[in-house]
Structures are given as C-alpha cells and as structure tokens.
Amino acid sequence: QVLLVESGGGLVQPGGSLKLSCAALGSGFSLDWYNIGWFRQAPGKEREAVACIVSSDGSIYYDDSLKGRFTISSDNAKNTVYLQMNSLKPEDTAVYYCAADPTGWGLRDDEYTFWGQGTQVTVSS
C-alpha cells in the first residue's frame, strides 16, 4: 500500500508563490519506483492535470497552460515530490492532489492508482 501525503497548501495573494510537497510513507517504499503526477480540482470543475514526472528517465510533462509558472521536482532521498507554484492567480485556487503509479504515467488521472488526500490552495487578496 502506498500512502501519499500532500502538504504546503494555504492562502496566498495573487502573484505569490507556494511550494507543495507530496511525501510517500510506508516502510520499504521508494518514490523513485513510481511515476508521480500532480492534479488539481477546483469547486464545480473536473479534476485536471498539472504536471508529472516519469521515474524511469526523469522526464517531466506539464499542462501547457501552466508551463512556466509551475515546476515539478523530486528528492528521492526525502521520498518527496514537490510542486513549486509561482505567479499564482485566483484561477489556480483548487485542491491539489498528488498521485502515483508504478506503470501508468502522463497527464490523465486514470493512469494513476494511488492518491493523496489533497491540499487546499486558495489564491485571493
């Protein structure tokens, strides 16, 4: 069983930054065995992809609309994947989720088996 825990969400003003963390818990589990995706879901909207990182070769993919403002990275020593979010806008307000899968990857949420509980990001003045 893979347990993913997101953190780092909160209230930020437009133009501000936040760095989300996705920690993988469980003895003997290593995030670098899994492909990791970040997704978000705003109220009343469908869940949408943000970014993903492929474990086999470190390839990174972003939703085109977010490229340049969001950066996904990983620290295997800490078993944590990060999402750095800059120049935040009110429309970035959502619950942000990380997801993991040993084989599935990409920017479709149905590729991922394991999900965290989410962390709320609110961008407002």
Side-chain angles (χ1 to χ4, degrees):
Q1 183 68 23
V2 176
L3 178 61
L4 303 174
V5 180
E6 302 95 335
S7 62
L11 174 64
V12 63
Q13 292 187 342
S17 298
L18 279 177
K19 187 173 185 177
L20 306 183
S21 299
C22 172
L25 305 181
S27 61
F29 170 78
S30 177
L31 257 186
D32 59 3
W33 302 340
Y34 289 77
N35 305 313
I36 304 297
W38 279 101
F39 294 82
R40 68 184 185 181
Q41 187 166 21
K45 295 187 177 180
E46 292 188 355
R47 188 162 54 193
E48 62 180 8
V50 175
C52 72
I53 185 165
V54 181
S55 62
S56 61
D57 62 1
S59 297
I60 289 173
Y61 301 89
Y62 296 96
D63 180 87
D64 285 342
S65 67
L66 301 174
K67 198 179 299 182
R69 294 195 298 123
F70 288 17
T71 304
I72 188 172
S73 62
S74 65
D75 185 336
N76 290 337
K78 295 183 178 180
N79 231 10
T80 300
V81 173
Y82 302 98
L83 183 69
Q84 176 69 46
M85 307 185 296
N86 299 326
S87 302
L88 284 162
K89 305 174 182 180
E91 52 264 41
D92 295 318
T93 296
V95 178
Y96 284 72
Y97 300 90
C98 66
D101 198 276
T103 56
W105 63 277
L107 299 177
R108 285 177 46 176
D109 58 4
D110 60 2
E111 293 286 351
Y112 297 87
T113 302
F114 304 105
W115 290 81
Q117 84 290 349
T119 186
Q120 176 71 49
V121 171
T122 302
V123 184
S124 175
S125 54

